[in-house]
Short mmCIF file of all heavy atoms in Angstrom, two decimals:
data_model
loop_
_atom_site.label_atom_id
_atom_site.label_comp_id
_atom_site.label_asym_id
_atom_site.label_seq_id
_atom_site.Cartn_x
_atom_site.Cartn_y
_atom_site.Cartn_z
N LEU A 116 5.53 0.98 14.77
CA LEU A 116 6.92 1.06 14.38
C LEU A 116 7.57 2.32 15.00
O LEU A 116 6.95 3.38 15.01
CB LEU A 116 7.05 1.15 12.86
CG LEU A 116 6.54 -0.06 12.08
CD1 LEU A 116 6.44 0.25 10.60
CD2 LEU A 116 7.46 -1.27 12.33
N PRO A 117 8.78 2.20 15.50
CA PRO A 117 9.43 3.37 16.09
C PRO A 117 10.38 4.04 15.07
O PRO A 117 11.14 3.38 14.38
CB PRO A 117 10.24 2.76 17.23
CG PRO A 117 10.57 1.37 16.78
CD PRO A 117 9.44 0.95 15.89
N ALA A 118 10.29 5.37 15.01
CA ALA A 118 11.22 6.17 14.20
C ALA A 118 11.03 7.63 14.62
O ALA A 118 9.97 8.01 15.13
CB ALA A 118 10.92 6.02 12.70
N PRO A 119 12.05 8.45 14.41
CA PRO A 119 11.93 9.86 14.79
C PRO A 119 10.99 10.62 13.84
O PRO A 119 11.00 10.39 12.64
CB PRO A 119 13.35 10.38 14.67
CG PRO A 119 14.04 9.46 13.75
CD PRO A 119 13.37 8.13 13.89
N VAL A 120 10.18 11.49 14.45
CA VAL A 120 9.25 12.32 13.68
C VAL A 120 9.51 13.76 14.07
O VAL A 120 9.65 14.07 15.25
CB VAL A 120 7.78 11.95 14.02
CG1 VAL A 120 6.81 12.88 13.31
CG2 VAL A 120 7.51 10.49 13.63
N PRO A 121 9.61 14.66 13.10
CA PRO A 121 9.48 14.41 11.68
C PRO A 121 10.78 13.83 11.08
O PRO A 121 11.87 14.05 11.60
CB PRO A 121 9.22 15.80 11.09
CG PRO A 121 9.94 16.73 12.04
CD PRO A 121 9.82 16.10 13.40
N ALA A 122 10.59 13.12 9.97
CA ALA A 122 11.75 12.57 9.26
C ALA A 122 12.44 13.74 8.56
O ALA A 122 11.80 14.67 8.08
CB ALA A 122 11.28 11.55 8.24
N ASP A 123 13.78 13.69 8.51
CA ASP A 123 14.51 14.77 7.85
C ASP A 123 14.35 14.69 6.33
O ASP A 123 13.87 13.69 5.81
CB ASP A 123 15.99 14.75 8.24
CG ASP A 123 16.72 13.49 7.83
OD1 ASP A 123 16.78 13.22 6.61
OD2 ASP A 123 17.23 12.78 8.70
N GLU A 124 14.73 15.74 5.63
CA GLU A 124 14.53 15.84 4.17
C GLU A 124 15.19 14.71 3.39
O GLU A 124 14.60 14.17 2.45
CB GLU A 124 15.01 17.18 3.66
CG GLU A 124 14.13 18.35 4.08
CD GLU A 124 14.64 19.68 3.53
OE1 GLU A 124 15.23 19.70 2.44
OE2 GLU A 124 14.41 20.71 4.21
N ASP A 125 16.41 14.34 3.77
CA ASP A 125 17.11 13.27 3.07
C ASP A 125 16.36 11.92 3.25
O ASP A 125 16.25 11.13 2.31
CB ASP A 125 18.55 13.12 3.57
CG ASP A 125 19.42 14.30 3.15
OD1 ASP A 125 19.06 14.99 2.19
OD2 ASP A 125 20.47 14.48 3.79
N THR A 126 15.85 11.69 4.44
CA THR A 126 15.11 10.46 4.70
C THR A 126 13.82 10.45 3.92
O THR A 126 13.45 9.42 3.34
CB THR A 126 14.84 10.33 6.22
OG1 THR A 126 16.08 10.33 6.91
CG2 THR A 126 14.04 9.08 6.54
N VAL A 127 13.11 11.57 3.87
CA VAL A 127 11.86 11.65 3.10
C VAL A 127 12.16 11.41 1.61
O VAL A 127 11.43 10.70 0.93
CB VAL A 127 11.14 13.00 3.33
CG1 VAL A 127 9.96 13.16 2.37
CG2 VAL A 127 10.66 13.09 4.78
N ALA A 128 13.25 11.95 1.12
CA ALA A 128 13.65 11.72 -0.29
C ALA A 128 13.92 10.24 -0.53
O ALA A 128 13.51 9.68 -1.54
CB ALA A 128 14.87 12.56 -0.64
N ALA A 129 14.59 9.58 0.41
CA ALA A 129 14.88 8.16 0.28
C ALA A 129 13.58 7.35 0.31
O ALA A 129 13.40 6.39 -0.45
CB ALA A 129 15.83 7.70 1.38
N MET A 130 12.65 7.75 1.18
CA MET A 130 11.35 7.04 1.26
C MET A 130 10.55 7.25 0.00
O MET A 130 9.89 6.33 -0.48
CB MET A 130 10.58 7.52 2.49
CG MET A 130 11.15 7.03 3.80
SD MET A 130 10.07 7.25 5.23
CE MET A 130 9.93 9.02 5.34
N ARG A 131 10.60 8.44 -0.60
CA ARG A 131 9.89 8.69 -1.87
C ARG A 131 10.45 7.81 -2.98
O ARG A 131 9.70 7.25 -3.78
CB ARG A 131 9.99 10.14 -2.26
CG ARG A 131 9.05 11.03 -1.47
CD ARG A 131 9.00 12.46 -2.00
NE ARG A 131 8.08 13.21 -1.19
CZ ARG A 131 8.40 14.30 -0.49
NH1 ARG A 131 9.62 14.80 -0.54
NH2 ARG A 131 7.50 14.91 0.24
N SER A 132 11.77 7.69 -3.03
CA SER A 132 12.40 6.85 -4.03
C SER A 132 11.99 5.40 -3.84
O SER A 132 11.66 4.70 -4.80
CB SER A 132 13.93 7.00 -3.93
OG SER A 132 14.56 6.12 -4.82
N PHE A 133 12.00 4.93 -2.60
CA PHE A 133 11.57 3.58 -2.27
C PHE A 133 10.12 3.37 -2.66
O PHE A 133 9.75 2.36 -3.28
CB PHE A 133 11.80 3.32 -0.79
CG PHE A 133 11.23 2.01 -0.28
CD1 PHE A 133 11.56 0.82 -0.89
CD2 PHE A 133 10.38 2.00 0.81
CE1 PHE A 133 11.05 -0.40 -0.42
CE2 PHE A 133 9.86 0.79 1.27
CZ PHE A 133 10.19 -0.40 0.67
N ARG A 134 9.27 4.32 -2.32
CA ARG A 134 7.83 4.22 -2.66
C ARG A 134 7.64 4.12 -4.16
O ARG A 134 6.85 3.31 -4.64
CB ARG A 134 7.07 5.42 -2.08
CG ARG A 134 5.58 5.35 -2.36
CD ARG A 134 4.84 6.55 -1.83
NE ARG A 134 5.31 7.75 -2.52
CZ ARG A 134 5.03 8.98 -2.10
NH1 ARG A 134 4.35 9.19 -1.02
NH2 ARG A 134 5.50 10.03 -2.77
N GLU A 135 8.39 4.92 -4.90
CA GLU A 135 8.28 4.90 -6.37
C GLU A 135 8.67 3.54 -6.94
O GLU A 135 7.97 3.00 -7.81
CB GLU A 135 9.18 5.98 -6.96
CG GLU A 135 9.04 6.16 -8.44
CD GLU A 135 9.89 7.30 -8.97
OE1 GLU A 135 9.89 8.38 -8.34
OE2 GLU A 135 10.53 7.09 -10.00
N ARG A 136 9.75 2.95 -6.43
CA ARG A 136 10.17 1.63 -6.92
C ARG A 136 9.16 0.55 -6.53
O ARG A 136 8.83 -0.31 -7.32
CB ARG A 136 11.55 1.27 -6.34
CG ARG A 136 12.71 2.10 -6.82
CD ARG A 136 13.21 1.75 -8.21
NE ARG A 136 13.67 0.40 -8.40
CZ ARG A 136 14.94 0.00 -8.32
NH1 ARG A 136 15.90 0.87 -8.04
NH2 ARG A 136 15.25 -1.27 -8.54
N LEU A 137 8.68 0.62 -5.27
CA LEU A 137 7.70 -0.35 -4.83
C LEU A 137 6.40 -0.22 -5.60
O LEU A 137 5.74 -1.21 -5.95
CB LEU A 137 7.46 -0.16 -3.33
CG LEU A 137 6.79 -1.28 -2.56
CD1 LEU A 137 7.57 -2.59 -2.67
CD2 LEU A 137 6.63 -0.90 -1.10
N HIS A 138 6.02 1.00 -5.92
CA HIS A 138 4.82 1.26 -6.73
C HIS A 138 4.97 0.61 -8.10
O HIS A 138 4.06 -0.06 -8.59
CB HIS A 138 4.57 2.76 -6.83
CG HIS A 138 3.30 3.09 -7.54
ND1 HIS A 138 3.23 3.23 -8.89
CD2 HIS A 138 2.05 3.32 -7.06
CE1 HIS A 138 1.98 3.52 -9.25
NE2 HIS A 138 1.26 3.56 -8.14
N GLY A 139 6.11 0.81 -8.72
CA GLY A 139 6.34 0.21 -10.03
C GLY A 139 6.25 -1.29 -10.00
O GLY A 139 5.66 -1.94 -10.90
N MET A 140 6.81 -1.91 -8.95
CA MET A 140 6.72 -3.35 -8.81
C MET A 140 5.25 -3.80 -8.66
O MET A 140 4.84 -4.78 -9.26
CB MET A 140 7.53 -3.83 -7.60
CG MET A 140 9.02 -3.73 -7.75
SD MET A 140 9.83 -4.29 -6.23
CE MET A 140 11.10 -3.04 -6.06
N SER A 141 4.51 -3.03 -7.85
CA SER A 141 3.10 -3.39 -7.61
C SER A 141 2.28 -3.25 -8.91
O SER A 141 1.42 -4.11 -9.17
CB SER A 141 2.51 -2.45 -6.55
OG SER A 141 3.21 -2.62 -5.33
N VAL A 142 2.54 -2.22 -9.68
CA VAL A 142 1.84 -2.05 -10.96
C VAL A 142 2.13 -3.23 -11.89
O VAL A 142 1.20 -3.76 -12.54
CB VAL A 142 2.22 -0.70 -11.61
CG1 VAL A 142 1.74 -0.62 -13.04
CG2 VAL A 142 1.67 0.46 -10.79
N ARG A 143 3.36 -3.66 -11.95
CA ARG A 143 3.71 -4.81 -12.81
C ARG A 143 3.00 -6.06 -12.32
O ARG A 143 2.48 -6.83 -13.14
CB ARG A 143 5.22 -5.00 -12.86
CG ARG A 143 5.90 -3.96 -13.72
CD ARG A 143 7.32 -4.31 -14.10
NE ARG A 143 8.24 -4.52 -13.01
CZ ARG A 143 8.81 -3.56 -12.28
NH1 ARG A 143 8.54 -2.30 -12.55
NH2 ARG A 143 9.64 -3.84 -11.32
N LEU A 144 3.00 -6.30 -11.02
CA LEU A 144 2.31 -7.48 -10.48
C LEU A 144 0.82 -7.42 -10.74
O LEU A 144 0.20 -8.43 -11.09
CB LEU A 144 2.62 -7.64 -9.01
CG LEU A 144 4.05 -8.06 -8.67
CD1 LEU A 144 4.30 -7.91 -7.19
CD2 LEU A 144 4.33 -9.48 -9.14
N ALA A 145 0.21 -6.24 -10.60
CA ALA A 145 -1.23 -6.07 -10.84
C ALA A 145 -1.56 -6.34 -12.31
O ALA A 145 -2.66 -6.77 -12.61
CB ALA A 145 -1.66 -4.67 -10.43
N ALA A 146 -0.59 -6.10 -13.20
CA ALA A 146 -0.81 -6.35 -14.63
C ALA A 146 -0.51 -7.80 -15.00
O ALA A 146 -0.54 -8.16 -16.18
CB ALA A 146 0.08 -5.41 -15.42
N GLY A 147 -0.21 -8.62 -14.01
CA GLY A 147 0.05 -10.04 -14.26
C GLY A 147 1.48 -10.35 -14.66
O GLY A 147 1.78 -11.47 -15.09
N LYS A 148 2.35 -9.38 -14.53
CA LYS A 148 3.76 -9.60 -14.88
C LYS A 148 4.53 -10.08 -13.66
O LYS A 148 4.00 -10.09 -12.53
CB LYS A 148 4.37 -8.32 -15.43
CG LYS A 148 3.70 -7.85 -16.71
CD LYS A 148 4.27 -6.54 -17.19
CE LYS A 148 3.49 -6.11 -18.45
NZ LYS A 148 3.86 -4.76 -18.85
N THR A 149 5.78 -10.45 -13.85
CA THR A 149 6.61 -10.89 -12.74
C THR A 149 7.68 -9.85 -12.45
O THR A 149 7.94 -8.97 -13.28
CB THR A 149 7.30 -12.25 -13.08
OG1 THR A 149 8.06 -12.08 -14.26
CG2 THR A 149 6.27 -13.34 -13.27
N LEU A 150 8.30 -9.97 -11.33
CA LEU A 150 9.37 -9.07 -10.97
C LEU A 150 10.69 -9.54 -11.59
O LEU A 150 10.90 -10.73 -11.76
CB LEU A 150 9.51 -8.99 -9.44
CG LEU A 150 8.30 -8.42 -8.67
CD1 LEU A 150 8.64 -8.33 -7.19
CD2 LEU A 150 7.86 -7.08 -9.23
N ALA A 151 11.53 -8.58 -11.88
CA ALA A 151 12.86 -8.88 -12.47
C ALA A 151 13.87 -9.11 -11.35
O ALA A 151 13.63 -8.76 -10.20
CB ALA A 151 13.28 -7.70 -13.34
N GLU A 152 15.01 -9.64 -11.71
CA GLU A 152 16.07 -9.89 -10.73
C GLU A 152 16.51 -8.59 -10.04
O GLU A 152 16.80 -8.60 -8.85
CB GLU A 152 17.30 -10.53 -11.43
CG GLU A 152 17.11 -11.99 -11.69
CD GLU A 152 18.38 -12.64 -12.24
OE1 GLU A 152 19.48 -12.31 -11.74
OE2 GLU A 152 18.25 -13.44 -13.17
N GLU A 153 16.54 -7.49 -10.80
CA GLU A 153 16.94 -6.22 -10.17
C GLU A 153 15.91 -5.74 -9.14
O GLU A 153 16.27 -5.01 -8.20
CB GLU A 153 17.23 -5.11 -11.21
CG GLU A 153 16.13 -4.85 -12.20
CD GLU A 153 16.28 -5.64 -13.51
OE1 GLU A 153 17.08 -6.60 -13.58
OE2 GLU A 153 15.57 -5.31 -14.45
N ASP A 154 14.64 -6.12 -9.29
CA ASP A 154 13.62 -5.80 -8.29
C ASP A 154 13.95 -6.52 -7.00
O ASP A 154 13.88 -5.91 -5.90
CB ASP A 154 12.21 -6.18 -8.77
CG ASP A 154 11.75 -5.36 -9.96
OD1 ASP A 154 12.06 -4.16 -10.03
OD2 ASP A 154 11.09 -5.93 -10.84
N PHE A 155 14.27 -7.79 -7.09
CA PHE A 155 14.61 -8.56 -5.90
C PHE A 155 15.90 -8.03 -5.26
O PHE A 155 16.00 -7.93 -4.02
CB PHE A 155 14.73 -10.05 -6.22
CG PHE A 155 13.43 -10.67 -6.55
CD1 PHE A 155 13.11 -11.04 -7.85
CD2 PHE A 155 12.48 -10.92 -5.55
CE1 PHE A 155 11.90 -11.63 -8.15
CE2 PHE A 155 11.27 -11.50 -5.85
CZ PHE A 155 10.95 -11.84 -7.16
N ALA A 156 16.86 -7.66 -6.09
CA ALA A 156 18.11 -7.10 -5.57
C ALA A 156 17.82 -5.78 -4.84
O ALA A 156 18.39 -5.54 -3.76
CB ALA A 156 19.12 -6.87 -6.69
#
Side-chain angles (χ1 to χ4, degrees):
L116 297 168
V120 176
D123 63 60
E124 289 181 30
D125 290 340
T126 301
V127 172
M130 288 193 296
R131 283 187 180 121
S132 176
F133 172 54
R134 181 181 63 193
E135 186 177 316
R136 292 283 301 264
L137 197 59
H138 185 272
M140 289 179 223
S141 299
V142 168
R143 286 195 301 283
L144 290 168
K148 298 177 182 172
T149 58
L150 298 183
E152 282 186 42
E153 55 266 13
D154 294 323
F155 290 107

